[in-house]
Amino acid sequence: MTRSGKPALHRRALLGGTAAVGAGVVLPTGVAVAGTRSGAGAGAGAGAGAGVRGRRGGMGQGAIDGVVARLDAHLVALRRDFHRYPELAGKEVGTSRIVAHLLRFAGLEVRTDVGGHGVVAVLKGARPGRTVAYRADMDAVPETGIIPKGAEPAHACGHDIHTTVGVGVAQTLAQLRERLSGTVVFFFQPGEEALVGARAMIEARVLQDYRPEEIHALHCGPFPVGQFAVTPGSGLPGQDEAVIEMSGPDAFASAERLAAEIKKLSTVAFPETPADLEKMVADVQTADGPLARFVVVRAGAVKDPGTGKVTVPVSYRCWPEERYTEVRAAIQRLAKPHDGAVVKFAKEPFPAMVCPEADARELGRHLRRRFGADAVTVMHAAFPFNGEDFALFLDKIPGTYTFLGVRPPGAVITKGYPHYGAFDPDERAIGVGVRAMAGWLVERAKG
């Protein structure tokens, strides 16, 4: 999940780095996790619960929970390995290698180097049904936006958890293959933070080659661990961009004035304190609340030291998506009085992610039945400062995008909010996410 906005709040030094593949990770029991950076053995938890394979009959949530319970410690260790070795967009070499290894050992058909370092894995159930897809993003966050300049890349957006949940779902359903109806296709996607990975996988024809009827995804969110936030009719905003070229003897001063005028188009202030974040999270759960419509804008004056050229780069998000037309018109209007200002917009905005309402509500009902009424909240509005290239998948086929609560009990909200240096998700969310998505995919693949 990409993030726009200025740095705010106190941030700890980020963990991780780009250390070479080769160091292993150790389970709490002291047993090396196979298939991680050590490259040894078969795969984290791949053989656990193998006795389930031969049993026939319907697949209830209890069967899924039993397998996940046996995999849980292995998945936590796997996530820590991904976390220790973050890889930026376009560089997900070690992560994709481990994912492919684990899923091959689990018995899935695996294809690598899809749209870059993407991995596609196919699990065919023993019974006829539909084909559904699940997407997990793999890349880490660079030293841009909210992450301080000079910091090492890190999994500050929770993609290490997303990848681990995807692996766990695949391993769980593989062990229950004899009870599985239909086919589940797993897309382990590179390049989400750069907004390039989904497009690359789509251009690699994954939708045509595997023909999923729908696609689903989870993302870490600032909700209590054990809780989900479904997104019926909401989602995340896209992003539009412009560059305004300035000229004249006072071009830079004029650019500064214009940037300040454009920033006033924002209707939402960037959260500066944990209390601000708390309010924003409450607002997205409020029907017809203050975030039902918004515009957030970034703009500034820039002078190229080599050429002396002065520009005003602008980026902005809005909700609903149709408001881009009025924002573009407002920028043109503000630029017009500045002599020599030339506005150049992007060819088209990056699309907003809008989740189908019916599918999200059905997922909410499913999760309440499995996890209890209090386990689900509803997002009525979008987080203003976030974007997602999963939007491109949802432009092609229906599906769901759900936030997985990762905020530890009693913790300050920045512990559970991606892209903050204090982000430290509760690892118990991994097993919760695997149980939820495995059960949901089983239901959707039944036909």
Side-chain angles (χ1 to χ4, degrees), residues 40 104 106 218 297 400:
R104 282 195 183 101
L218 277 185
V297 184
T400 62

Side-chain angles (χ1 to χ4, degrees), residues 4-68:
S4 66
K6 63 182 180 179
L9 306 172
H10 178 71
R11 298 174 180 82
R12 64 170 171 79
L14 295 174
L15 300 175
T18 54
V21 170
V25 66
V26 176
L27 287 172
T29 57
V31 180
V33 174
T36 56
R37 311 289 159 152
S38 64
V52 176
R53 294 177 189 267
R55 300 176 192 167
R56 292 190 174 271
M59 192 195 305
Q61 188 68 45
I64 292 169
D65 293 350
V67 176
V68 177

Side-chain angles (χ1 to χ4, degrees), residues 301-376:
V302 176
K303 184 174 183 178
D304 187 301
T307 64
K309 183 178 180 180
V310 176
T311 59
V312 179
V314 183
S315 65
Y316 48 99
R317 303 183 189 273
C318 59
W319 193 269
E321 185 175 29
E322 293 75 20
R323 297 194 71 187
Y324 282 118
T325 301
E326 66 182 74
V327 176
R328 284 190 173 199
I331 291 173
Q332 290 276 27
R333 173 177 53 79
L334 292 171
K336 188 174 182 179
H338 293 261
D339 291 339
V342 178
V343 184
K344 297 181 178 179
F345 291 101
K347 184 177 180 180
E348 59 184 17
F350 194 91
M353 182 185 72
V354 183
C355 302
E357 183 171 353
D359 293 334
R361 292 200 182 280
E362 178 57 34
L363 173 56
R365 288 189 289 269
H366 170 85
L367 293 173
R368 290 186 185 98
R369 288 194 298 268
R370 299 298 189 272
F371 294 88
D374 295 336
V376 180

